[in-house]
Amino acid sequence: MKILVTGGAGYIGSTVAHELVKTGDEVVVFDNLSQGHRCAVPEQAVFIKGDLADRELVDSIMRAHRPEAIMHFASNTLVGESIAKPFLYIGDNVTNGLNLLKSAVEYGVRRFILSSTANLFDKPLKIPITADERIIPGSPYGESKHILERFLYWMDRSFDLRYAALRYFNAAGAAGPHLGEQHDPETHLIPLVLQVALGQREKITIFGDDYETPDGTCVRDYIHVLDLAQAHILALRALGSSSRVYNLGNGQGFSVKEVVETARQVTGHPIPAEIGPRRPGDPAVLIADSERIRADLGWQPSYPNVRGIIETAWQWHSENPAGFKE
Ligand SMILES: NC(=O)c1ccc[n+]([C@@H]2O[C@H](COP(=O)([O-])OP(=O)(O)OC[C@H]3O[C@@H](n4cnc5c(N)ncnc54)[C@H](O)[C@@H]3O)[C@@H](O)[C@H]2O)c1
């Protein structure tokens, strides 16, 4: 299949692009490199540098490459920033997504996969969180994904565009020693902790230890980036029949303190930690119920616990302390 991967130079998009190339798919990566890295894109893929805000460019890519499917990773992704800059999120994320969708419909694309998020569930009624949980976005970032999910629902009804909305919980780990996570600024716990082990950061700050959790720190569900990639590939193949919405996590929670302690064991570094104030908008516990994708598509994570995930992340970070070359 020929697949357009927006944001395919970023952390998750590049990993999925590599896995698609391995399965024999033709991949066209479109990325503005605001966060992405040129050398994270697989050599076998066509790479086009550009911004989704440029509707003419998006149309010209559709015309030239005629993708059969789109995987849409490109996005502003920072929850905290989105509270300070809602226009950038509810504005740009949505407008860019709509540019892509308009073009997709015009050029006859019938399969679309959206990177959605656990940030749809600010006040879950039940943990683990099923795909049917009520949606209360935790930020303008989460709201932008919710709007795009709703838009996709109508694209399906109006234009027979089949979609999968994949709501990732905390993506983590690395696909190998040459492909991993590198954001600037970095806000994700595991790379931040590993930066301390590399001597690039003095200590890690734990935001709050007075939550209603066993050790008082927030509990999250970490999912390996390769397990996410498998979910994308399974969903893409299944989209011939009907649209789908899936929550994607391991179904197990690990506290911030547990992650820091595991990273100490994996790296052999003491990783000093201090307790800071809570961050606004951090729910105490987010754990996914991924039963639906397991039952429908036979998806099965290969990295069910956080130690295996941190080991792969450490391999990437310790072999590439300065990150990607470009
Ligand atoms: N990392 C996580 O834990 C996580 C969790 C839930 C959802 N998500 C979603 O998954 C997707 C990928 O996340 P990631 O961690 O790989 O992020 P990332 O920042 O590494 O990747 C996003 C890529 O999109 C590109 N991009 C951004 N805006 C663009 C634009 N206007 N035009 C063209 N390219 C643009 C960036 O340069 C970057 O390469 C995002 O949509 C994110 O919201 C991520």
Side-chain angles (χ1 to χ4, degrees):
M1 215 181 271
K2 195 168 206 178
I3 302 150
L4 176 65
V5 181
T6 76
Y11 168 46
I12 304 170
S14 65
T15 302
V16 176
H18 277 270
E19 294 305 300
L20 287 170
V21 163
K22 278 188 207 158
T23 58
D25 291 301
E26 272 182 76
V27 174
V28 177
V29 167
F30 181 60
D31 198 299
N32 65 7
L33 298 185
S34 58
Q35 279 290 333
H37 308 278
R38 176 65 185 91
C39 59
V41 176
E43 271 173 24
Q44 303 89 327
V46 173
F47 175 70
I48 300 157
K49 184 176 174 191
D51 198 290
L52 281 170
D54 185 346
R55 173 80 207 278
E56 273 179 34
L57 177 61
V58 174
D59 276 349
S60 74
I61 291 167
M62 296 290 183
R63 249 192 324 274
H65 295 282
R66 297 278 172 181
E68 297 156 84
I70 295 177
M71 293 192 182
H72 179 39
F73 298 92
S75 176
N76 300 308
T77 63
L78 304 178
V79 170
E81 180 186 61
S82 80
I83 293 170
K85 300 181 179 170
F87 288 104
L88 189 61
Y89 283 77
I90 303 179
D92 290 15
N93 274 1
V94 172
T95 313
N96 291 342
L98 297 192
N99 274 346
L100 185 64
L101 277 170
K102 269 188 217 150
S103 201
V105 166
E106 218 167 291
Y107 288 91
V109 176
R110 288 280 175 272
R111 296 174 196 227
F112 193 100
I113 298 188
L114 173 72
S115 299
S116 192
T117 174
N119 195 249
L120 298 185
F121 308 116
D122 195 40
K123 294 186 174 59
L125 294 171
K126 228 177 74 215
I127 302 280
I129 302 169
T130 65
D132 295 324
E133 176 61 67
R134 66 176 184 176
I135 293 178
I136 300 181
S139 68
Y141 162 71
E143 190 72 68
S144 72
K145 300 288 186 179
H146 179 45
I147 294 170
L148 289 176
E149 282 198 11
R150 292 305 303 160
F151 221 87
L152 282 167
Y153 172 82
W154 291 108
M155 296 291 97
D156 181 322
R157 298 278 292 269
S158 304
F159 302 114
D160 290 331
L161 178 85
R162 304 289 176 244
Y163 71 92
L166 302 183
R167 297 152 170 181
Y168 321 151
F169 280 56
N170 289 56
H178 305 297
L179 193 60
E181 183 168 15
Q182 186 190 341
H183 293 113
D184 184 17
E186 189 53 78
T187 59
H188 294 150
L189 178 63
I190 290 174
L192 286 173
V193 166
L194 297 180
Q195 285 174 2
V196 180
L198 284 171
Q200 297 172 344
R201 206 174 267 277
E202 211 183 300
K203 57 181 184 265
I204 187 82
T205 302
I206 296 175
F207 297 112
D209 66 349
D210 56 352
Y211 286 92
E212 277 182 40
T213 59
D215 66 18
T217 65
C218 286
V219 170
R220 294 289 178 269
D221 184 336
Y222 295 89
I223 174 164
H224 197 278
V225 67
L226 282 174
D227 287 328
L228 280 181
Q230 274 321 305
H232 282 76
I233 290 170
L234 290 169
L236 177 72
R237 311 289 178 231
L239 278 185
S241 53
S242 60
S243 293
R244 293 125 202 282
V245 176
Y246 294 125
N247 285 1
L248 272 173
N250 267 310
Q252 277 194 74
F254 295 92
S255 74
V256 176
K257 280 189 178 164
E258 284 173 322
V259 169
V260 174
E261 186 47 41
T262 308
R264 289 181 181 129
Q265 290 162 16
V266 169
T267 63
H269 188 284
I271 310 184
E274 65 171 14
I275 306 298
R278 287 183 178 201
R279 274 187 315 200
D282 264 345
V285 181
L286 287 175
I287 300 172
D289 179 333
S290 304
E291 198 38 51
R292 190 187 282 174
I293 188 167
R294 288 174 190 261
D296 284 4
L297 306 182
W299 176 76
Q300 189 77 39
S302 310
Y303 294 88
N305 73 62
V306 82
R307 187 181 175 107
I309 292 175
I310 293 176
E311 280 169 353
T312 67
W314 179 234
Q315 188 190 16
W316 150 254
H317 284 283
S318 56
E319 293 193 25
N320 306 273
F324 289 104
K325 289 191 187 68
E326 54 167 337

